[in-house]
Amino acid sequence: MSEVFFVGCGPGDPELITVKAKKLIQKADVVVYSGSLIPEPILKLCKKGKLYDAAKLVREEIFNLLYKNAKKDKLVVRLHDGDPSIYGAIKEQIDNLEKKGIKSTVVPGVTAFLASAAALGIQLTLPGVTQTIIVTRGESRTKVPKREKISELAKHKATLIFYLSIQLISKLVTEAIEGGYKKSTPVAVVYRASWPDQKVIKGTLGDIAKKIKEEKITRTAIVIISDVIDPETYEYSKLYDKKFSHGYRKAKKTKK
């Protein structure tokens, strides 16, 4: 059965690509990639294949490229930045290919919010602070269900992560505060996470919008709202506590 590979190549640093993704790109006959979001060194891995910039194409043109080449039994890669399953619009492509008898395989990649956490040197789930991560986006041209309004999600006081929303930073701040976050809640913005021109801006809900405006950042950034960025206090993990037993280790007895 003919097949198309939907491949995530990571957030920007070429060394963050998976071995599987690298091998597929090197063997590919056709690579349809996500415009300027894919680093040049990764595109250069495609030695024998033909490259097509999806930024210059509409949905139907992309689908035809994938379908016609897969039908000829060529190795076809639809290359996404980060991970294809996060805001990657892969479902519509996979469904349409399946209707035409083309199989699809998804190869995961390192996504930008993980690269952002690494840049900040933080733990996104911290005992005693939060054990929940909410990944979302602000409402713009793509509508968001009412139950997923920022003010509703903010009620959880979890680690709140935004893609595709930096241009809405003032709105994010207003609605996050409406939902219950304090103005003093730490916020971090990571511009082009893991790229050579990566930039990290830290602040609070009270001042982050002003800082972002001063830095003139309007795209390609992750926003993280959470006390884990700069916690006043937190708990140590129970997993490595000497008093804690689990399937691989018994608790150590304390001397009386």
Side-chain angles (χ1 to χ4, degrees), residues 70-210:
K71 198 70 176 172
K72 295 175 184 176
D73 287 327
K74 292 184 178 181
L75 200 168
V76 180
V77 169
R78 174 65 174 99
L79 190 61
H80 289 259
D81 59 304
D83 181 277
S85 66
I86 299 182
Y87 302 112
I90 62 171
K91 172 126 179 99
E92 60 194 46
Q93 299 175 77
I94 291 171
D95 286 351
N96 285 326
L97 287 167
E98 187 176 332
K99 288 174 186 175
K100 293 275 192 176
I102 306 295
K103 179 185 174 185
S104 296
T105 295
V106 179
V107 178
V110 177
T111 188
F113 85 77
L114 297 177
S116 297
L120 292 163
I122 63 170
Q123 184 175 322
L124 293 170
T125 55
L126 202 53
V129 180
T130 183
Q131 292 294 287
T132 301
I133 299 168
I134 298 174
V135 178
T136 187
R137 63 178 297 175
E139 185 173 71
S140 186
R141 287 186 295 180
T142 299
K143 297 300 178 183
V144 172
K146 288 182 179 179
R147 67 182 181 276
E148 295 176 16
K149 285 183 64 176
I150 297 165
S151 56
E152 289 297 312
L153 298 178
K155 291 177 182 178
H156 297 283
K157 305 286 183 60
T159 294
L160 194 50
I161 298 171
F162 292 91
Y163 277 79
L164 308 166
S165 305
I166 190 62
Q167 74 281 9
L168 305 171
I169 188 67
S170 295
K171 179 183 178 182
L172 305 190
V173 166
T174 299
E175 293 195 20
I177 293 171
E178 282 178 8
Y181 283 107
K182 296 177 182 177
K183 282 189 178 181
S184 59
T185 303
V187 183
V189 172
V190 183
Y191 169 74
R192 284 170 63 85
S194 85
W195 288 76
D197 59 346
Q198 170 185 284
K199 189 177 289 186
V200 175
I201 299 95
K202 294 173 71 175
T204 65
L205 283 173
D207 63 17
I208 194 66
K210 183 174 181 289

